[in-house]
């Protein structure tokens, strides 16, 4: 049976049961659980340091009322980073390579931020639809353009994350296929291609972490506009 390059992004199914829920919940077992000891181990200390640094950087420009979202956004950051990096392991599935999952996360959180802004400060939130100092003749056009850009935000969030992960996985698969094909024909070239494959894997791991941070950072910027 000939498989397509995009078959690796299909949701795994066993006996007509989708395994996406298992793929989402299983990596959480890898994280160390908090203990009652006075001193934590190295893994828990590293995890707490990463969370504190990332949360402080994300919520630095946000007003104190928006700090209530710290738990939600920090959990989302850990979730996306775990899903993105776990998909780089052999014989694993990346749930965040599915556009439906990313659009669900982006759409729900974006809608929550917009509703929060409309409830707390509707005048300030609606004021973003019209830039300050705009000519009166261009007011209807600018309002339409800003409204369209507002509704494009969740689509851009979901598509950006999906496209970056999909492109990286496809590039790694193409490079690994070329390396195996040239291993017996041109071994010297296959060695250089294997080195390139290793560098691509490191780059993809960095991209997985960066994309999780960018996703949460953009949500925090949308939150800053509505708080």
């Amino acid at each position: 049976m000939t498989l397509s390059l995009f078959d690796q992004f299909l949701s795994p199914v066993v006996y007509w049961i989708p395994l996406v829920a298992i793929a989402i919940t299983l990596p959480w077992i890898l994280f160390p659980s908090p203990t009652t000891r006075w001193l934590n181990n190295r893994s828990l200390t590293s995890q707490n340091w990463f969370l504190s640094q990332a949360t402080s950087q994300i919520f630095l420009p946000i007003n104190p009322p928006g700090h209530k979202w710290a738990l939600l956004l920090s959990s989302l950051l850990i979730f996306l980073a775990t899903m993105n990096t776990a998909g780089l392991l052999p014989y694993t599935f990346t749930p965040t390579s599915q556009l439906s999952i990313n659009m669900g996360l982006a759409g729900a959180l974006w809608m929550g931020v917009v509703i929060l802004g409309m409830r707390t400060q509707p005048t300030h939130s609606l004021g973003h639809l019209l830039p300050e100092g705009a000519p009166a003749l261009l007011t209807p056009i600018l309002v339409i353009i800003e409204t369209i850009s507002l509704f494009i935000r969740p689509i851009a969030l979901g598509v950006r994350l999906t496209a970056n992960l999909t492109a990286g996985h496809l590039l790694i698969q193409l490079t690994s296929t070329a390396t195996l094909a040239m291993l017996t024909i041109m071994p010297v070239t296959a060695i250089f291609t294997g080195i390139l494959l290793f560098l691509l894997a490191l780059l993809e791991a960095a991209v997985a972490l960066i994309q999780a941070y960018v996703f949460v950072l953009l949500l925090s910027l949308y939150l800053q506009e509505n708080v």
Side-chain angles (χ1 to χ4, degrees):
M1 179 179 180
T2 304
L3 297 179
S4 172
L5 290 176
F6 292 92
D7 287 340
Q8 60 176 320
F9 303 109
L10 295 177
S11 177
V13 177
V14 176
Y15 296 110
W16 301 281
I17 300 176
L19 302 181
V20 178
I22 299 178
I24 291 176
T25 57
L26 190 60
W28 289 99
I29 303 176
L30 302 176
F31 287 99
S33 58
T35 60
T36 57
R37 301 175 182 175
W38 288 6
L39 295 177
N40 296 325
N41 53 20
R42 293 180 180 178
S43 59
L44 189 58
T45 303
S46 301
Q47 176 184 334
N48 293 336
W49 177 84
F50 173 77
L51 276 177
S52 61
Q53 292 295 323
T55 306
S56 61
Q57 291 294 327
I58 291 174
F59 285 89
L60 186 62
I62 300 180
N63 297 328
H67 292 178
K68 300 176 182 179
W69 289 62
L71 180 60
L72 176 61
L73 293 185
S74 59
S75 302
L76 179 64
L77 176 63
I78 293 296
F79 172 76
L80 292 178
T82 306
M83 294 296 104
N84 296 347
T85 53
L88 296 175
L89 299 175
Y91 303 103
T92 55
F93 172 70
T94 310
T96 47
S97 64
Q98 302 293 312
L99 184 60
S100 57
I101 295 178
N102 296 334
M103 288 298 297
L105 290 173
L109 293 171
W110 170 82
M111 183 62 68
V113 169
V114 171
I115 292 176
L116 177 65
M118 292 297 180
R119 289 185 58 187
T120 56
Q121 43 184 7
T123 304
H124 181 72
S125 298
L126 294 175
H128 291 290
L129 299 180
L130 182 62
E132 186 178 358
L137 294 176
L138 298 178
T139 298
I141 301 176
L142 291 176
V143 170
I144 294 174
I145 293 175
E146 292 297 329
T147 304
I148 294 175
S149 66
L150 178 65
F151 284 95
I152 286 178
R153 286 180 175 181
I155 302 176
L157 279 177
V159 172
R160 180 188 294 108
L161 182 58
T162 305
N164 281 280
L165 295 180
T166 303
H169 283 64
L170 287 177
L171 189 58
I172 289 177
Q173 183 176 2
L174 290 174
T175 308
S176 61
T177 304
T179 303
L180 290 176
M182 293 186 299
L183 191 59
T184 56
I185 305 174
M186 294 178 289
V188 178
T189 307
I191 292 175
F192 286 104
T193 311
I195 296 174
L196 177 61
L197 178 62
F198 176 74
L199 296 177
L200 283 176
L202 294 180
L203 178 62
E204 184 63 18
V207 168
L209 296 176
I210 291 173
Q211 287 303 316
Y213 180 77
V214 169
F215 191 94
V216 178
L217 181 62
L218 290 176
L219 281 176
S220 67
L221 294 178
Y222 301 157
L223 179 63
Q224 181 183 0
E225 296 179 358
N226 294 278
V227 174

